[in-house]
């Protein structure tokens, strides 16, 4: 890897033999589909088609986001209200690029504001967040593409009322930023009515693909993340993927192809296992991206989030010796965080640990990754090793663009629309019905009928 390397993919052990064989020649045979998929993504993105806009996010003008983030950075705390694609990307960026335990770090050392995410509808969580805030120096960002999601609406109603009660209408308005569609939903009229600050979520970008838009960038910038580097990494990745026309040179084609071929051979579980704590949230973000984008029409590949080395001591038994229904990606960071050299201990009882003395903690973790990949390979399980040279904003931007592209291409290979989410909308509509929203009576009735079926057989102990 040289200093310009964005990522590398080792996939010699990603093939299988026997009845459910997946061979390199199968991957090569998909070349025309990769090419047509790439054209499909780029043509629709350039025409501004619904859902395809993420492909161009890295090259869009972000001045208004940066300007607003400067004000946000002066706050003591930020609360973001949003869920799914309006939350997971932020948590992923912060988890990867900020020091761990961010909110616990003393202000002088931390620099940027504390950050709280209000995503689930949980009274305990929301109350606890509010109690940790000084309303005067807080900002609340409410993010919703549709501007109607019940969880986000409920959580925002809570914080909005608290702000209004404490600071009055004008004080509350000054502290709220709305990120939503330019005209859909109830949040845009709320902006017009109250005059609070707002940003427009690009129309052609779907929730789970929106991390490199104002959804992810606003809080990231305010917390001190170098968003220009993030975007330049994503743009550089896109340039690489756009210009490589051969399977051998295009890691995204290889990754999508392997996931597709294994899915077709009943390995329809896709395990992403980073050996880097800061990438734990990356798996959460990936799980939504992958699951919601390609789980369609009776097809799909189930994303599984694992974290090395923790899951090495929890899931590897299943992964190596359970059913052969998974495709694995082990993700490592070549040059980890500032290292710890393991100290020698004087106690006699520890003599047998001398093999660790003086060794690097980062090296130990990367050896664990190699051990897991080898154990999987020995068991005949398909495994790819993805590696980034270091975890900085540029490489993370590249990795985000890479996985978004892989997901879009996977949708093309499967002939499903990766940019809609009818299953999610169904759940939202049922919730509206149950909560008594007008126009959703039929949905409420349907839930009652389905619930009656669920409760038809009941056992209580
Ligand atoms: O990817 C998607 O579209 C969804 O998962 C949304 O992100 C999620 O449902 C939240 O929707 P919204 O941003 O409209 O409130």
């Amino acid at each position: 890897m040289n200093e310009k390397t964005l990522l590398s993919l080792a996939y010699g052990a990603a093939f299988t033999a026997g009845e459910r064989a997946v061979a390199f020649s199968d991957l090569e045979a998909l070349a025309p589909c990769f090419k047509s998929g790439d054209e499909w993504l780029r043509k629709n993105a350039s025409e501004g088609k619904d859902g395809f806009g993420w492909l161009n996010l890295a090259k869009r003008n972000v001045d208004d986001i940066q300007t607003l983030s400067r004000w946000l950075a002066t706050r003591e705390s930020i609360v973001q209200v949003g869920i799914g694609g309006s939350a997971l990307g932020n948590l992923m960026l912060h988890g990867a690029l900020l020091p761990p335990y961010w909110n616990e770090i003393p202000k002088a050392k931390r620099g940027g504001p504390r950050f709280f995410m209000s995503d689930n509808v949980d009274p305990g969580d929301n109350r606890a967040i509010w109690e940790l805030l000084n309303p005067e120096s807080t900002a609340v960002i409410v993010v919703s593409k549709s501007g109607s999601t019940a969880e986000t609406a409920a959580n925002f109603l809570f914080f909005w009322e608290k702000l209004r009660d404490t600071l009055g209408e004008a004080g509350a308005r000054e502290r709220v930023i709305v990120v939503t569609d330019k005209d859909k939903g109830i949040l845009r009229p709320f902006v017009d009515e109250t005059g609070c600050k707002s940003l427009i979520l690009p129309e052609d970008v779907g929730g789970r693909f929106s991390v490199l838009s104002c959804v992810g960038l606003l809080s990231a910038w305010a917390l001190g993340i170098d968003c220009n580097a993030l975007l330049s990494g994503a743009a550089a990745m896109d340039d690489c993927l756009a210009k490589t026309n051969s399977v051998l040179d295009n890691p995204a084609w290889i990754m999508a192809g392997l996931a597709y071929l294994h899915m077709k051979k009943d390995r329809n579980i896709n395990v992403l296992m980073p050996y880097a704590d800061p990438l734990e949230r990356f798996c959460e973000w990936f799980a939504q991206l992958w699951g919601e984008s390609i789980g369609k029409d009776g097809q799909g590949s189930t994303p599984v989030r694992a974290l090395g080395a923790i899951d090495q001591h929890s899931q590897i038994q299943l992964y190596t010796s359970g059913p052969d229904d998974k495709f694995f990606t082990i993700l490592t960071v070549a040059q980890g965080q500032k290292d710890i050299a393991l100290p020698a201990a004087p106690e006699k009882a520890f003599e047998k640990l001398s093999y660790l003395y003086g060794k690097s903690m980062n090296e130990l973790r990367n050896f664990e990754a190699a051990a897991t990949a080898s154990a999987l390979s020995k068991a005949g399980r398909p495994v790819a090793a993805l590696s980034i040279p270091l975890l900085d904003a540029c490489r993370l931007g590249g990795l985000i663009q890479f996985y978004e592209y892989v997901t879009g291409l996977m949708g093309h290979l499967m002939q499903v629309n990766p940019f809609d989410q009818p299953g999610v909308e169904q759940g939202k509509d049922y919730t509206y019905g149950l909560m008594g929203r007008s126009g959703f009576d039929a949905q409420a009735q349907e839930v009652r009928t389905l619930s009656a079926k669920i409760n038809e057989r009941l056992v209580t102990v």
Side-chain angles (χ1 to χ4, degrees):
M1 286 194 205
N2 65 39
E3 80 219 16
K4 288 203 180 125
T5 303
L6 290 169
L7 59 74
S8 67
L9 175 66
Y11 62 104
F15 302 101
T16 47
E19 244 177 52
R20 289 158 64 219
V22 169
F24 179 67
S25 53
D26 298 322
L27 197 58
E28 279 184 308
L30 287 175
C33 304
F34 296 143
K35 283 186 192 152
S36 62
D38 183 83
E39 279 161 24
W40 174 70
L41 291 171
R42 292 185 192 285
K43 181 171 181 296
N44 284 307
S46 68
E47 290 171 2
K49 292 261 170 67
D50 197 19
F52 291 80
W54 57 271
L55 198 60
N56 300 325
L57 280 177
K59 292 171 188 161
R60 287 191 185 173
N61 186 305
V62 288
D63 291 350
D64 54 343
I65 309 172
Q66 189 170 18
T67 304
L68 200 46
S69 76
R70 288 196 187 108
W71 170 78
L72 205 53
T74 64
R75 311 280 84 201
E76 188 182 294
S77 305
I78 300 172
V79 180
Q80 181 157 323
V81 180
I83 197 163
S86 296
L88 293 173
N90 301 81
L91 296 173
M92 176 262 279
L93 294 179
H94 305 172
L97 298 173
L98 297 176
Y101 307 105
W102 174 256
N103 284 355
E104 265 61 66
I105 301 173
K107 168 106 181 74
K109 236 174 136 190
R110 177 172 19 94
R114 295 183 302 163
F115 181 87
F116 300 92
M117 182 61 80
S118 165
D119 50 2
N120 233 346
V121 270
D122 187 281
D125 273 4
N126 281 315
R127 218 178 285 116
I129 293 175
W130 178 256
E131 277 160 19
L132 289 168
L133 302 173
N134 169 8
E136 276 286 342
S137 55
T138 291
V140 174
I141 314 175
V142 54
V143 186
S144 178
K145 169 84 204 272
S146 61
S148 60
T149 304
E151 294 88 338
T152 301
N155 290 345
F156 183 61
L157 284 173
F158 169 79
F159 285 104
W160 177 240
E161 191 206 30
K162 290 280 184 206
L163 286 177
R164 260 194 353 237
D165 284 356
T166 335
L167 306 165
E169 188 83 34
R173 181 187 53 221
E174 264 170 43
R175 287 162 180 79
V176 168
I177 302 177
V178 175
V179 176
T180 193
D181 191 80
K182 77 175 183 348
D183 31 46
K184 266 188 252 149
I186 42 117
L187 286 174
R188 188 55 57 194
F190 171 80
V191 173
D192 298 339
E193 188 179 331
T194 57
C196 63
K197 304 174 191 53
S198 84
L199 288 171
I200 293 176
L201 214 162
E203 213 175 344
D204 55 352
V205 178
R208 58 193 174 278
F209 286 86
S210 67
V211 62
L212 296 181
S213 74
C214 50
V215 173
L217 300 185
L218 183 60
S219 69
W221 235 322
L223 269 58
I225 289 174
D226 182 351
C227 291
N228 287 321
L230 192 70
L231 294 171
S232 71
M237 174 60 72
D238 189 47
D239 289 344
C240 293
L241 300 180
K243 68 170 189 262
T244 46
N245 243 342
S246 110
V247 175
L248 283 179
D249 297 327
N250 194 316
W253 289 8
I254 295 168
M255 186 59 98
L258 287 169
Y260 175 73
L261 291 167
H262 284 298
M263 187 196 74
K264 286 286 175 198
K265 293 283 162 79
D266 291 333
R267 292 185 194 93
N268 55 4
I269 298 176
N270 189 350
V271 180
L272 179 60
M273 188 169 183
Y275 272 74
D277 282 19
L279 290 174
E280 188 173 9
R281 288 285 190 177
F282 188 86
C283 290
E284 302 245 353
W285 170 82
F286 163 75
Q288 184 201 11
L289 184 72
W290 191 253
E292 208 170 303
S293 300
I294 61 165
K296 314 262 159 81
D297 306 338
Q299 304 180 68
S301 137
T302 304
V304 167
R305 326 149 215 201
L307 182 68
I310 292 174
D311 282 304
Q312 196 170 324
H313 302 274
S314 158
Q315 300 299 306
I316 288 297
Q317 176 61 39
L318 170 74
Y319 292 172
T320 53
S321 314
D324 178 14
D325 53 3
K326 301 171 195 69
F327 166 61
F328 298 90
T329 304
I330 306 291
L331 173 57
T332 53
V333 181
Q335 182 195 320
Q337 324 259 340
K338 190 166 173 240
D339 214 349
I340 294 180
L342 299 175
E347 290 77 14
K348 237 182 143 11
F350 282 168
E351 250 170 27
K352 287 202 169 120
L353 292 183
S354 61
Y355 73 98
L356 290 173
Y357 296 168
K359 301 280 174 57
S360 133
M361 202 173 261
N362 278 330
E363 189 178 37
L364 171 60
R365 198 202 41 241
N366 283 346
F367 281 156
E368 304 237 30
T372 294
S374 301
L376 289 166
S377 178
K378 185 171 183 207
R381 305 299 152 94
V383 56
L386 189 63
S387 184
I388 54 175
L390 69 160
L391 184 51
D392 61 2
C394 172
R395 286 356 182 274
L396 184 67
L399 201 60
I400 291 168
Q401 191 78 13
F402 174 81
Y403 268 108
E404 290 185 343
Y405 181 94
V406 168
T407 305
L409 194 59
M410 181 76 172
H412 177 76
L413 294 172
M414 292 167 60
Q415 295 294 295
V416 298
N417 176 2
F419 308 122
D420 67 359
Q421 55 284 325
V424 178
E425 308 301 345
Q426 175 76 84
K428 288 188 182 184
D429 290 351
Y430 280 162
T431 308
Y432 297 146
L434 291 174
M435 294 299 285
R437 182 171 165 186
S438 104
F440 291 85
D441 299 346
Q443 282 84 351
Q445 188 45 48
E446 204 165 285
V447 180
R448 281 192 278 275
T449 312
L450 292 165
S451 299
K453 163 91 182 135
I454 292 166
N455 292 319
E456 219 166 65
R457 288 172 187 275
L458 176 72
V459 57
T460 309
V461 291

